[in-house]
Amino acid sequence: GADLVHAFTSTQSAPVLKSYSPDVIVHDAWDESKEITNLSVDTNKMWTTWFGRFDALVVGPGLGESDHGLVFWKELIDAAHDHRNQYPVVYDADALKYFWKRASVRIAPALERKQLKHPTVSGGCKSESEEEEVWKPVFAWNIATPNKMELFRLIQADQRLTEREDAESAKKRCRVVKIDEVDLHCEEFREEVVGQALKRFAPMHFLLKGETDWLFLNHVKDSSRESCEFIALDVGAGAPKRCGGQGDILAGILATFLGWAFTKSWENHLLRPSVHCSDEAYERCRELFISACASACLVTRASVRSAFSEHGRGLQASDVLHHISKTFAKEFDTP
């Protein structure tokens, strides 16, 4: 549903993507033949040029695990949090690998958030008075979309880190050693295991993909009010077959819906730093965010179901794309 799609990739991969489809605007973001020390400068210049043109970002699909990709990812995060024109960021696929490999790296630590004077995708704004360290809530618009295996690895990463930080506390917590133990329908498991693990990445939210999609919201309203919330997104069944690339489609649809919701929040003056940083504005942003996530899951599942009815077991991710338009029109009664 997005009007334009920009794809940032390595110089070596760009020709392949450019030949794939004229609908995607492909950018040579980094050159893997260059020294990594020179990469950040080029990346910073590129984002300064392009950042103001986007409504949402998707980080991860096709990123790979090279050191060059990691540097680009870090530069992208810094640019997303520092730029004046903020918007939603969706983390998926290879971006999640960096999370569980480097679980000690939070997207925007609380100490850093105190220094911010403008609303950001990671939450928080400072009052106009330089002398007053008073927080006003601004909803975070960044989200990660792990599947069951990726969630399992995030939990393991958190448990390893907890053992290093506080061995006594780690002994008291339930330890997950098998992926079969990941059960989001169990309230105790959600609160004591998943909730504790994902709090480490606050204020980033999580869309946990599975038979039932769960939305985990990391609320950070001020330095003393942190909480989390689980919401089951019961939007109907998908298809009996899952195909590679289906998660990438969800990430793209989710970014589009979040971009629309974020624009709506600006139009309703919910994100102006000196005017509407209120509890009411926070709650309205929360409602828009949940609606966008539920809508993205609904369109993705219904599109996959429609594609499966036509292609059966021969279903591929590319087949799903052709069903998004009519599914959207059917579900929302609008073209």
Side-chain angles (χ1 to χ4, degrees):
D3 299 307
L4 290 174
V5 176
H6 294 256
F8 292 83
T9 186
S10 68
T11 301
Q12 290 73 20
S13 301
V16 179
L17 289 180
K18 289 178 180 178
S19 64
Y20 172 73
S21 171
D23 302 318
V24 181
I25 304 170
V26 181
H27 302 268
D28 301 355
W30 68 88
D31 189 343
E32 296 192 354
S33 65
K34 286 187 176 181
E35 293 291 335
I36 294 181
T37 53
N38 298 327
L39 181 63
S40 60
V41 177
D42 297 338
T43 305
N44 200 29
K45 289 180 180 179
M46 181 192 62
W47 281 116
T48 302
T49 303
W50 286 102
F51 238 67
R53 306 188 184 193
F54 304 143
D55 295 297
L57 287 173
V58 179
V59 186
L63 184 62
E65 299 183 61
S66 69
D67 291 335
H68 290 76
L70 174 59
V71 172
F72 177 77
W73 183 79
K74 288 182 177 178
E75 291 292 331
L76 186 148
I77 298 301
D78 292 341
H81 290 279
D82 291 342
H83 202 274
R84 284 184 62 188
N85 299 320
Q86 301 300 335
Y87 34 74
V89 183
V90 178
Y91 300 97
D92 186 45
D94 291 325
L96 297 173
K97 296 179 182 178
Y98 295 130
F99 287 161
W100 70 64
K101 288 181 179 178
R102 298 161 178 82
S104 59
V105 180
R106 293 176 58 150
I107 297 303
L111 291 177
E112 293 182 10
R113 289 199 301 271
K114 289 183 179 180
Q115 302 172 1
L116 297 174
K117 299 180 182 178
H118 299 282
T120 73
V121 291
S122 55
C125 72
K126 190 178 176 181
S127 66
E128 291 297 313
S129 172
E130 290 294 332
E131 299 178 357
E132 189 181 9
E133 288 286 342
V134 178
W135 270 60
K136 298 177 182 179
V138 175
F139 193 81
W141 288 84
N142 46 344
I143 186 169
T145 58
N147 57 30
K148 185 176 181 178
M149 176 58 76
E150 290 163 340
L151 173 62
F152 173 63
R153 289 169 177 163
L154 285 171
I155 293 172
Q156 286 188 317
D158 170 72
Q159 291 176 337
R160 288 194 299 268
L161 199 63
T162 301
E163 289 173 355
R164 293 200 298 268
E165 294 172 343
D166 188 349
E168 193 64 31
S169 175
K171 292 179 182 178
K172 299 177 182 179
R173 288 174 55 179
C174 175
R175 180 156 185 81
V176 179
V177 294
K178 297 179 181 179
I179 189 172
D180 294 340
E181 297 174 358
V182 177
D183 182 10
L184 292 174
H185 291 282
C186 174
E187 182 177 359
E188 182 179 1
F189 181 86
R190 288 199 310 269
E191 299 296 333
E192 295 187 6
V193 180
V194 180
Q196 290 299 320
L198 300 187
K199 280 180 183 178
R200 182 177 296 279
F201 302 97
M204 184 170 63
H205 311 296
F206 288 82
L207 177 58
L208 309 175
K209 299 178 292 189
E211 185 175 347
T212 298
D213 296 325
W214 287 83
L215 185 59
F216 176 83
L217 299 180
N218 259 320
H219 298 296
V220 182
K221 293 188 176 182
D222 56 44
S223 55
S224 62
R225 290 191 295 167
E226 296 190 9
S227 61
C228 62
E229 177 183 14
F230 279 98
I231 302 171
L233 302 179
D234 189 7
V235 293
K241 177 189 176 182
R242 285 191 55 83
C243 51
Q246 187 172 320
D248 298 339
I249 293 175
L250 172 61
I253 295 176
L254 177 59
T256 302
F257 273 102
L258 287 176
W260 289 336
F262 189 77
T263 300
K264 189 71 173 178
S265 67
W266 273 105
E267 291 175 351
N268 293 342
H269 307 289
L270 300 177
L271 299 179
R272 303 301 167 86
S274 61
V275 181
H276 285 287
C277 289
S278 62
D279 286 329
E280 291 78 14
Y282 187 98
E283 180 59 27
R284 181 56 182 147
C285 286
R286 171 187 169 276
E287 292 173 356
L288 287 169
F289 189 88
I290 294 173
S291 178
C293 292
S295 298
C297 292
L298 171 64
V299 170
T300 303
R301 285 174 174 265
S303 297
V304 173
R305 191 167 60 245
S306 176
F308 182 82
S309 67
E310 179 178 335
H311 298 278
R313 287 291 167 181
L315 174 69
Q316 300 295 324
S318 57
D319 300 322
V320 178
L321 298 176
H322 301 294
H323 289 258
I324 293 175
S325 181
K326 66 178 182 180
T327 298
F328 187 95
K330 177 183 177 181
E331 298 294 340
F332 299 102
D333 194 28
T334 182

